[in-house]
Amino acid sequence: MKAYVIERAGGPEVLELRDIPPADVNADEVRIRVHAFGLNRAEAYLRAGKMGEISAPRVPGIEAVGEIMHDPSGTYRTGQRVATAMGGMQFGRAGSYAEEVVVLRSNVVDLDGVSLPWEELATLPEAYLTVWGALRKTLAIEKGQTLLVRGATSSVGLAAIVYAKALGLMVIATTRSSQNTERLRDMGADHVVIDTGEIAEQVRALVPAGIDAALEIVGAATVRDTINALKPFGSVCVIGLLGGPPVLENVHLIQDLPGAAQLSFFPSGLFGTASLPLSDTPLPWLA
C-alpha cells in the first residue's frame, strides 16, 4: 500500500510517499480502506520532533474515515462505512496517512447510513469526539447552561459551537480578530468576545452570575482568566494548547481559583479505552 512516511524531523517536505507492506490484523483489530483523513496539530508536532526522537520510519495520522476491509470478529462487515480516531495511531502503530490502516476495533465508529462525502466526514472524528468527551463526559453540561469557547476559530472550537448549540446551550465564543465575528455568529455563537488576553470582565458583563462551563483551547496562557469568568461550582476543561506549553507556574489554589471552581484536562487518547468507550458516541447523529 502507499503511505506517507517520515524518518527525520522537519517541515512538510520530510513526508515521503512510499510503498510499504500493510500490517497484519490481530483478533482485536480491523483493517480499513482509508478514503480520507483529517490533519491535526498532533501530526505536525510529531513531524517536527516535538513528541520525541524519530528513530524509525513513522506513518503519521490520528484519524480517518473509510470502509471496512477485514474484521476477524465479524462485528463489522466488509464495505461498512466507519470512522476511527486515536487508539495508538502514529504512536504505537502506523497512522492514517495511508491507503489502508489497521486499528483497534474499540476505536471504530459505525457510520453506516451517513451519506456525507468522505472529505466532509474526515473533518469530524477527532474534533467532534474531543468536544463530546469534554462537554458530556468531563463537564457534564446540560441544556440551558452557558458555555464559553475560548479559541473558537480553531477547528475544535468551531466544532464546539456547533455541538453546544445542538445540545441547547448558550454559547460565548472568543476570537482575537473582529474579522471573525460574523463567521462565529453564523456557526451559532450567541455572543462573540474579542480576546485581549483578559476577558473575564467582558464575559461577566454578559452573564453577571458567571458562566457554567468553559472549553479552554488556548491553554495555560489564558486559563486563569477563563476560570475567573465561572460561577461558583463552574468548570473549565482544557482541550487545546494554542497558547504554548501546558505549564502553569506559581498557581495559588485560593487566589487563582474562585470558590468551588473545577479545572480539568480532557485527552483524546482516552478514546476507545474502558474509561471512554466509543459505543455511545454521537458522531453519526452529528454527521
Side-chain angles (χ1 to χ4, degrees):
M1 67 175 187
K2 293 189 180 300
Y4 281 102
V5 178
I6 56 175
E7 289 193 280
R8 67 185 191 281
E13 72 279 355
V14 303
L15 289 163
E16 295 184 14
L17 188 60
R18 296 183 184 175
D19 286 307
I20 66 172
D24 295 330
V25 182
N26 296 319
D28 61 345
E29 297 173 328
V30 301
R31 187 189 308 281
I32 297 172
R33 185 182 307 283
V34 176
H35 282 278
F37 55 82
L39 302 176
N40 297 273
R41 285 181 179 266
E43 295 119 40
Y45 289 159
L46 173 74
R47 193 192 64 229
K50 296 180 179 180
M51 291 184 168
E53 181 184 359
I54 302 172
S55 56
R58 303 277 288 274
V59 178
I62 61 171
E63 64 175 330
V65 292
E67 297 174 302
I68 295 291
M69 297 179 68
H70 178 50
D71 178 359
S73 73
T75 303
Y76 295 99
R77 72 177 188 280
T78 300
Q80 189 166 347
R81 291 163 65 95
V82 295
T84 186
M86 301 301 290
M89 281 192 290
Q90 95 166 5
F91 299 108
R93 61 178 66 237
S96 57
Y97 286 22
E99 291 181 305
E100 302 173 10
V101 65
V102 173
V103 302
L104 292 170
R105 189 179 302 106
S106 58
N107 285 76
V108 174
V109 178
D110 175 20
L111 291 180
D112 245 16
V114 176
S115 58
L116 287 177
W118 291 115
E119 291 84 352
E120 292 185 24
L121 280 177
T123 69
L124 304 183
E126 181 67 14
Y128 278 92
L129 290 176
T130 297
V131 171
W132 162 69
L135 288 185
R136 298 296 278 176
K137 300 298 184 178
T138 306
L139 295 175
I141 203 82
E142 296 180 0
K143 183 178 180 180
Q145 290 186 322
T146 302
L147 176 74
L148 172 68
V149 180
R150 191 147 194 183
T153 55
S154 63
S155 59
V156 72
L158 296 173
I161 296 172
V162 173
Y163 186 38
K165 293 308 297 180
L167 294 177
L169 306 182
M170 194 272 272
V171 177
I172 303 172
T174 77
T175 174
R176 290 182 296 175
S177 173
S178 59
Q179 294 179 347
N180 295 319
T181 298
E182 185 176 352
R183 182 187 185 197
L184 293 176
R185 289 189 180 278
D186 287 344
M187 295 296 287
D190 297 282
H191 302 281
V192 177
V193 172
I194 306 304
D195 198 338
T196 60
E198 296 183 1
I199 63 167
E201 288 189 11
Q202 295 182 66
V203 173
R204 284 190 173 275
L206 295 170
V207 188
I211 56 174
D212 295 291
L215 285 182
E216 176 58 77
I217 305 170
V218 180
T222 56
V223 71
R224 279 188 177 92
D225 185 60
T226 296
I227 289 172
N228 284 321
L230 293 175
K231 68 191 324 182
F233 298 100
S235 304
V236 174
C237 183
V238 179
I239 59 171
L241 305 171
L242 298 179
V247 179
L248 281 174
E249 297 180 356
N250 302 318
V251 177
H252 195 295
L253 295 179
I254 298 177
Q255 295 179 358
D256 290 339
L257 294 179
Q262 301 176 57
L263 175 62
S264 61
F265 170 68
F266 176 75
S268 60
L270 287 177
F271 295 158
T273 66
S275 299
L276 190 63
L278 296 182
S279 55
D280 63 342
T281 172
L283 194 62
W285 173 73
L286 282 162

